[in-house]
Amino acid sequence: MPVPLMKPLALARRLLPVGLTLLTCACDTSGFVEDSTEEASLTLDATQPHVVKRLRLQGKTRKDARAKFTEVVLNVNSSVKWYPKEGTRTDVLPWYRIRMVTEQDGLVHDEKAFVMEPSSHHDYLYTSAGLKLEALPDSLDTVFQLEFDRQGAPSEGTFDVTWKAYATLFTDAGAPEDIQFTVTEESPAP
């Protein structure tokens, strides 16, 4: 015996409460706050082929706020250009690497590496790291190291690098004004 089909309006009336319940559960009630550093530049050459920038992310909720932190993401946008000195060797093409490392455990989150060509320019190199915060804390203090490297001798010339860090702190609830969040560049730990 075939099952009778419901009329479209009757079916919609029956499914509407179910759909609204699922939609309510699926809605993201979380929020986020953002901060960034100023754009900075540095130079790498054969005598100084390695530079480390220390980026500290700190977050704190207002005392009476209910927000808990769920995740923090750090993104760095950078560009690099190689300038070999006129009349110097360009037969040795140096490599360049940028990577993001958690300072506490040395975990490498992201890494980009490639060989440079004379006067080559690489814009928009994105490097990122993210941490899920399992315990849902209401405060955060974590440090990432941004490492810039180039091949040393016998390659010659300088690498001019510009970079800027953008950080986002996600919460389970609460308004952005209830949260203080900063990303700052600090001197590397001794």
Side-chain angles (χ1 to χ4, degrees), residues 67-139:
K68 300 291 183 192
F69 303 148
T70 58
E71 183 178 10
V72 63
V73 176
L74 178 63
N75 294 300
V76 173
N77 183 15
S78 65
S79 66
V80 60
K81 184 160 184 152
W82 176 35
Y83 293 100
K85 292 179 184 174
E86 211 170 298
T88 60
R89 293 178 56 182
T90 56
D91 58 329
V92 177
L93 300 177
W95 51 260
Y96 171 76
R97 179 179 69 181
I98 180 173
R99 67 184 192 161
M100 183 93 63
V101 179
T102 309
E103 186 176 82
Q104 181 180 352
D105 59 10
L107 177 67
V108 176
H109 289 270
D110 196 3
E111 179 174 23
K112 307 282 189 288
F114 46 85
V115 174
M116 298 290 289
E117 296 284 335
S119 299
S120 63
H121 193 201
H122 295 271
D123 282 329
Y124 309 113
L125 299 172
Y126 292 102
T127 311
S128 64
L131 296 175
K132 294 277 188 193
L133 306 172
E134 301 299 327
L136 299 181
D138 58 4
S139 66

Side-chain angles (χ1 to χ4, degrees), residues 146-157:
L146 185 59
E147 299 178 354
F148 300 91
D149 291 294
R150 69 150 285 167
Q151 180 179 343
S155 67
E156 298 177 355

